[in-house]
């Protein structure tokens, strides 16, 4: 790869993504891959920490591969691969486990939230999740990690583990920096705008999925919960309208102030339709392209194969170094 800094990001293939995922992550990748060596992964092993239906997971892995490509990931310029195809991820996670303490993992907000949500399945993987994520990042000598605000704590742990390992065994890992997309990183539920938009919401009208067609998108925005007065301005007392303004501004690249001016004196009804149309205009071509790619599984398998081969070369260089540093004996080949 070129002499640029490495950027690593991963998304779990655990279901249909929402426009929150798009604005927070996917949208930035196309541009970032010009300035960095982009390494984009499907965190398929991470999804196993919550019980999955195998057939659905398989489908989701192809969906996400196609979606990455439809959002502009260039599989030749960047590396696009499935985490489970490069076994160095789980191998490095094991070594990192030996320098990570249970207390560090038990106080992770996501672990606590997910333990509450999946009380019947609080498994070791759920707790160890951030260590595997640290391995993902550190294997590639990553300098930049674009993440949502909810992953900040996990990135902090990856940095701590890198520093701890370097102190114990000598300089081995680059210490990564996080990149949290500003503004629209937080897209809220359309039904309860004080909660984050989530694809696992039981109320399908609460979120816009990357699979929604334009009619569905507009219908959902029409139903979005708004606030009682009729002013289209952003304010903490008006979470519903603020959320719609944020979404509109992100999808049109207009500032919130400009959007407020544009809709001054107009009613909520017209505004909601305009938001829906702005979102559909961006999402629909991506959805169509994704579906076109999905029809060709052989092509997607090929993309993942090439990606894994390229990822593996970088990953094993780091893993071998780690094994050497901790005192393991190099296996002789041939
Ligand atoms: N935990 C991340 C999420 O759910 C996904 C992820 C796995 C990730 N490994 C990563 C993100 C490495 C950034 C870097 O959003």
């Amino acid at each position: 790869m070129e002499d640029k800094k490495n950027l690593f990001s991963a998304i779990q293939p655990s279901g249909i993504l929402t426009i929150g995922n798009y604005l927070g992550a996917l949208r930035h990748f196309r541009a970032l891959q010009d300035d960095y060596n982009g390494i984009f992964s499907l965190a398929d092993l991470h999804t196993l920490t919550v019980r999955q239906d195998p057939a659905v997971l398989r489908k989701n892995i192809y969906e996400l591969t196609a979606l990455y490509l439809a959002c502009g990931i260039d599989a030749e310029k960047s590396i696009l691969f499935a985490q489970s195809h490069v076994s160095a991820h789980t191998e490095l996670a094991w070594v990192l486990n030996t320098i990570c303490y249970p207390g560090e993992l038990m106080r992770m907000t996501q672990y606590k939230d997910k333990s509450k949500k999946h009380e019947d399945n609080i498994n070791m993987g759920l707790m160890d999740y951030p260590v595997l994520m640290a391995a993902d990042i550190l294997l590639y000598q990553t300098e930049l990690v674009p993440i949502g605000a909810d992953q900040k704590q996990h990135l902090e742990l990856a940095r701590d583990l890198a520093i701890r390992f370097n102190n114990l065994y000598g300089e081995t890992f680059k210490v990564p920096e996080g990149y949290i997309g500003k503004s629209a990183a937080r897209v809220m539920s359309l039904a309860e705008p004080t909660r984050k938009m989530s694809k696992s919401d039981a109320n399908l009208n609460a979120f816009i999925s990357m699979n929604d067609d334009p009619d569905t998108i507009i219908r959902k925005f029409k139903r979005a919960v708004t606030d009682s007065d009729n002013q289209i301005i952003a304010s903490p007392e008006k979470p519903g309208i603020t959320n719609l303004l944020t979404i509109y501004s992100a999808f049109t690249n207009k500032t919130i102030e400009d959007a407020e001016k544009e809709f001054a004196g107009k009613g909520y009804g017209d505004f909601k339709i305009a938001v829906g149309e702005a979102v559909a205009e961006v999402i629909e071509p991506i959805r169509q392209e994704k579906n076109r790619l999905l029809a060709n599984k052989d092509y997607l398998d090929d993309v993942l194969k090439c990606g894994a081969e390229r990822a593996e070369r970088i990953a094993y260089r780091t893993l071998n170094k780690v094994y050497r540093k901790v005192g393991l004996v190099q296996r002789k080949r041939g």
Side-chain angles (χ1 to χ4, degrees):
M1 293 188 91
E2 289 174 62
D3 197 22
K4 293 176 183 165
K5 294 179 176 175
N6 290 350
L7 173 147
F8 184 95
S9 192
I11 297 177
Q12 291 192 59
S14 55
I16 312 295
L17 299 190
T18 71
I19 56 168
N21 302 113
Y22 175 74
L23 293 178
L26 283 162
R27 166 173 78 140
H28 303 292
F29 294 167
R30 181 203 292 269
L32 285 168
Q33 67 185 344
D34 293 331
D35 300 329
Y36 293 87
N37 292 319
I39 304 165
F40 300 101
S41 184
L42 290 88
D44 50 0
L45 296 172
H46 275 114
T47 66
L48 299 179
T49 58
V50 171
R51 205 62 75 222
Q52 303 286 325
D53 174 332
V56 174
L57 175 58
R58 210 166 289 130
K59 178 170 165 290
N60 285 339
I61 290 170
Y62 284 114
E63 280 271 344
L64 181 56
T65 307
L67 184 62
Y68 262 127
L69 295 168
C71 287
I73 295 290
D74 178 336
E76 282 175 18
K77 199 187 296 178
S78 299
I79 296 180
L80 176 59
F81 75 106
Q83 183 188 37
S84 66
H85 292 177
V86 178
S87 52
H89 289 249
T90 44
E91 294 173 82
L92 179 60
W94 176 256
V95 177
L96 295 177
N97 269 330
T98 66
I99 61 161
C100 184
Y101 305 107
E104 291 178 292
L105 299 176
M106 281 187 294
R107 65 178 147 79
M108 290 282 155
T109 309
Q110 182 177 294
Y111 172 68
K112 288 194 263 182
D113 288 351
K114 287 196 177 173
S115 306
K116 230 175 269 160
K117 210 166 136 198
H118 305 279
E119 250 176 352
D120 52 334
N121 183 22
I122 306 177
N123 61 75
M124 288 303 295
L126 198 59
M127 191 167 132
D128 205 32
Y129 181 112
V131 177
L132 180 59
M133 180 164 160
D136 295 342
I137 297 167
L138 300 181
L139 272 179
Y140 298 93
Q141 302 296 346
T142 302
E143 302 208 22
L144 195 70
V145 190
I147 40 163
D150 62 326
Q151 297 296 314
K152 233 171 113 174
Q153 233 184 359
H154 293 168
L155 180 74
E156 210 43 57
L157 181 79
R159 289 168 52 88
D160 288 347
L161 293 178
I163 294 167
R164 195 172 301 161
F165 189 95
N166 289 348
N167 285 339
L168 283 166
Y169 298 106
E171 206 55 31
T172 308
F173 295 120
K174 277 223 161 78
V175 181
E177 298 289 336
Y179 167 91
I180 298 180
K182 39 181 177 0
S183 70
R186 256 182 103 70
V187 174
M188 311 305 280
S189 155
L190 298 185
E192 277 178 76
T194 47
R195 286 180 32 200
K196 195 179 149 193
M197 181 181 282
S198 163
K199 64 189 171 204
S200 46
D201 204 311
N203 176 0
L204 298 182
N205 289 318
F207 63 91
I208 307 286
S209 108
M210 294 299 286
N211 259 350
D212 286 342
D213 62 26
D215 286 347
T216 309
I217 293 175
I218 290 166
R219 180 174 48 76
K220 286 186 179 178
F221 276 107
K222 277 187 185 164
R223 288 197 191 168
V225 168
T226 40
D227 315 281
S228 52
D229 70 62
N230 224 352
Q231 301 254 59
I232 300 171
I233 45 170
S235 92
E237 289 89 63
K238 293 164 66 71
I241 285 295
T242 304
N243 188 35
L244 296 187
L245 277 166
T246 308
I247 294 170
Y248 182 77
S249 132
F251 275 95
T252 56
N253 290 319
K254 293 175 186 169
T255 64
I256 303 261
E257 295 74 41
D258 284 347
E260 287 172 343
K261 270 182 221 141
E262 187 179 341
F263 292 101
K266 301 225 171 85
Y268 280 179
D270 290 342
F271 174 56
K272 287 176 170 181
I273 293 172
V275 181
E277 284 172 347
V279 173
E281 202 178 302
V282 174
I283 297 305
E284 181 58 9
I286 296 175
R287 189 179 72 96
Q288 302 242 354
E289 174 64 2
K290 186 205 67 178
N291 287 340
R292 189 186 71 78
L293 291 163
L294 263 180
N296 191 347
K297 293 256 162 46
D298 287 344
Y299 172 70
L300 297 175
D301 279 331
D302 229 45
V303 166
L304 292 178
K305 171 174 177 278
C306 296
E309 285 166 2
R310 290 166 64 208
E312 206 162 53
R313 278 198 285 275
I314 309 173
Y316 274 102
R317 215 177 298 144
T318 303
L319 185 71
N320 284 333
K321 193 167 164 190
V322 167
Y323 278 179
R324 222 173 28 244
K325 295 255 183 179
V326 299
L328 300 180
V329 172
Q330 208 75 2
R331 172 181 165 187
K332 293 285 174 235
R333 309 235 171 215

